[in-house]
Amino acid sequence: MDFAAIKKAAEGYEADMTRFLRDLIRLPGESCGEKEVAARIVEEMKKVGFDEAGIDAMGNAVGYMGNGKTLIAYDGHIDTVGVGNKANWKFDPYEGYETATEIGGRGASDQLGGPVAAVYGAKIMKDLGLLNDKFRVMVTGTVQEEDCDGLCWEYMIKELKIKPEFVVITEPTDGNIYRGQRGRMEIRVEVKGISCHGSAPERGDNAIFKMGEILAEVKALNKKLKKDKFLGKGTLTVSQIYFTSPSRCAVADMCAISIDRRLTMGETYKSALKEIAELPKVKKYKAKVSMYKYDLPSYTGVVYPIDCYFPTWVIPEDAKATKAMVKAYEGMYGKPKVDKWTFSTNGVSIMGRNKIPCIGFGPGKEAQAHAPNEKTWKKDLVRCAAVYAALPGMYTKEKK
């Protein structure tokens, strides 16, 4: 494999990738609103010579290059979070900015740069004759990940019967190669009360006071959760709180919280729910502990309900996909660090639910995700496109 030629080709496409990424940043595409972003990705796929490119029923942009038997996929989600308080931004998040080394804008790192690099990685394969009869490359721009990570792939695997041999997750990896992540789930805890006039609160039963006692136990539980040597500790935090009350002059008759629970190796949704349900104040006040379900329609109108449980996953250091990615990187950029994500990715479905191996390498940094003044780096786009282009050839060698 001519690594020097691959690296040179990727460097030659820096301007094209920059332009493409800035086009995507200009198209607001929060979850369930990615239509224009998907269309722009398909347009670029066709422009650079993909053999097939289109949008599936759920709204995912999907392109193919090559005709071999082994399917290798590159996944990048194309939805973003919102901008939050715009006063915290130093520039227009949807116009962004460009310098000699950086690109700014909402989605720059999380994670529109991933699909950009993957599209041009596939183009480099075609340009340099790296495609052969052994493999076929699939590049996706997937929807609704920010709302419900993995939902898009659950649909593609279960309904469209797409099953790659392995998938490259192009989420930001800080220049490293990632082989796993903690899982997560979304838990609701609800406690009931009885309302009465606020001038005589003793006549009622205040649900907010009950929840206050439960919150103290939940906070303490976080320190006791299981720890894994590679993935680290399981965590939880209260992310939302709700109540119902007849008025501001009344005792609250219901209070509920949402818990963002991060699951390390060995933890499951059953064990996490049980930990909450067995807290003394939860039992005392007969609080209801449940898992959320996601059932919002995609921008095409497809509804694919799923429990808000996103399993933990890890692949071994000596897995074929890991070794192939490391060798592809080493051929051009030296020895990489192999690590794991802090946040969650579509791998929760691909590997977590369906046991299709995933390996992570993507432009940008995790710390930029969901933050104001989000940015990425042009050198990351180039490096990722080069490694993506070299990867299938290295993988087919690993299989021998």
Side-chain angles (χ1 to χ4, degrees):
M1 183 169 290
D2 190 342
F3 287 116
I6 295 171
K7 188 175 178 181
K8 183 179 179 181
E11 291 167 352
Y13 286 126
E14 180 183 298
D16 294 274
M17 288 190 283
T18 297
R19 171 193 48 77
F20 183 23
L21 177 53
R22 295 205 66 196
D23 282 355
L24 296 181
I25 287 169
R26 291 186 183 101
L27 300 171
E30 294 177 36
S31 295
C32 309
E34 309 95 335
K35 182 177 181 178
E36 291 184 81
V37 183
R40 180 65 186 86
I41 288 174
V42 170
E43 177 188 348
E44 195 77 7
M45 287 176 171
K46 291 178 177 178
K47 174 185 172 183
V48 303
F50 272 61
D51 298 324
E52 297 178 38
I55 295 173
D56 68 19
M58 180 171 259
N60 302 300
V62 182
Y64 293 94
M65 196 83 88
N67 54 17
K69 292 182 179 179
T70 298
L71 182 63
I72 297 173
Y74 296 78
D75 174 66
H77 72 81
I78 59 174
D79 58 324
T80 69
V81 295
V83 301
N85 183 357
K86 204 167 181 180
N88 290 331
W89 289 77
K90 297 176 182 177
F91 54 87
D92 184 334
Y94 294 119
E95 179 57 34
Y97 74 89
E98 178 185 347
T99 69
T101 58
E102 297 176 351
I103 303 165
R106 177 52 88 212
S109 269
D110 187 21
Q111 65 115 161
L112 298 172
V116 166
V119 166
Y120 276 86
K123 177 169 174 52
I124 293 167
M125 294 179 212
K126 188 170 187 177
D127 288 348
L128 301 184
L130 299 175
L131 294 165
N132 58 44
D133 61 1
K134 294 181 180 179
F135 62 86
R136 187 184 191 204
V137 170
M138 173 187 183
V139 175
T140 65
T142 45
V143 299
Q144 291 176 279
E145 190 273 350
E146 294 292 1
D147 264 10
C148 188
D149 26 326
L151 176 69
C152 47
W153 272 94
E154 199 67 14
Y155 177 83
M156 289 192 288
I157 292 167
K158 297 291 192 341
E159 305 304 319
L160 305 183
K161 310 304 179 185
I162 294 171
K163 191 173 182 181
E165 183 141 333
F166 75 95
V167 178
V168 178
I169 303 291
T170 66
E171 291 264 18
T173 59
D174 293 50
N176 305 316
I177 293 170
Y178 288 173
R179 61 181 182 91
Q181 57 155 100
R182 292 181 302 167
R184 71 179 188 91
M185 63 182 296
E186 298 172 2
I187 300 171
R188 179 180 170 94
V189 182
E190 180 178 320
V191 66
K192 298 292 188 182
I194 299 173
S195 63
C196 69
H197 200 284
S199 64
E202 68 278 2
R203 297 173 185 163
D205 186 15
N206 196 315
I208 293 176
F209 286 164
K210 290 180 178 179
M211 186 59 74
E213 296 181 44
I214 292 171
L215 283 168
E217 293 185 335
V218 169
K219 182 178 180 181
L221 177 62
N222 181 59
K223 298 179 182 179
K224 304 174 185 177
L225 298 177
K226 186 175 179 179
K227 186 174 183 179
D228 177 77
K229 185 177 180 180
F230 176 60
L231 291 180
K233 182 180 170 297
T235 61
L236 64 79
T237 189
V238 175
S239 56
Q240 295 174 321
I241 189 163
Y242 310 93
F243 73 94
T244 59
S245 175
S247 79
R248 289 199 297 271
C249 300
V251 166
D253 55 16
M254 186 281 294
C255 189
I257 58 172
S258 299
I259 295 174
D260 179 337
R261 178 68 158 87
R262 301 290 159 153
L263 304 161
T264 197
M265 191 60 67
E267 295 183 313
T268 68
Y269 75 89
K270 290 182 179 179
S271 67
L273 288 172
K274 185 178 180 182
E275 287 168 338
I276 301 294
E278 291 186 348
L279 292 173
K281 298 302 182 183
V282 169
K283 294 169 73 172
K284 177 181 177 180
Y285 295 126
K286 297 182 173 59
K288 181 181 178 182
V289 181
S290 60
M291 181 163 50
Y292 283 97
K293 184 178 285 287
Y294 184 83
D295 59 2
L296 293 181
S298 73
Y299 75 83
T300 63
V302 170
V303 177
Y304 202 67
I306 194 168
D307 288 332
C308 291
Y309 169 54
F310 311 94
T312 307
W313 64 272
V314 174
I315 67 169
E317 276 195 272
D318 63 354
K320 292 184 179 69
T322 309
K323 292 196 292 185
M325 180 71 87
V326 168
K327 288 181 179 179
Y329 187 102
E330 284 177 337
M332 292 172 282
Y333 300 110
K335 188 173 180 62
K337 179 181 179 181
V338 179
D339 207 344
K340 76 281 185 182
W341 277 289
T342 300
F343 60 38
S344 187
T345 75
N346 279 333
V348 298
S349 167
I350 304 165
M351 177 64 187
R353 291 179 183 266
N354 294 285
K355 308 309 176 189
I356 298 169
C358 293
I359 189 70
F361 184 58
K365 297 181 183 295
E366 278 194 80
Q368 293 295 315
H370 303 188
N373 307 305
E374 182 180 354
K375 63 182 178 180
T376 195
W377 291 264
K378 294 179 181 181
K379 67 178 182 180
D380 284 8
L381 298 175
V382 170
R383 185 170 295 190
C384 288
V387 173
Y388 296 161
L391 177 61
M394 302 309 296
Y395 183 77
T396 51
K397 286 182 181 180
E398 284 293 327
K399 289 189 69 180
K400 290 182 181 178

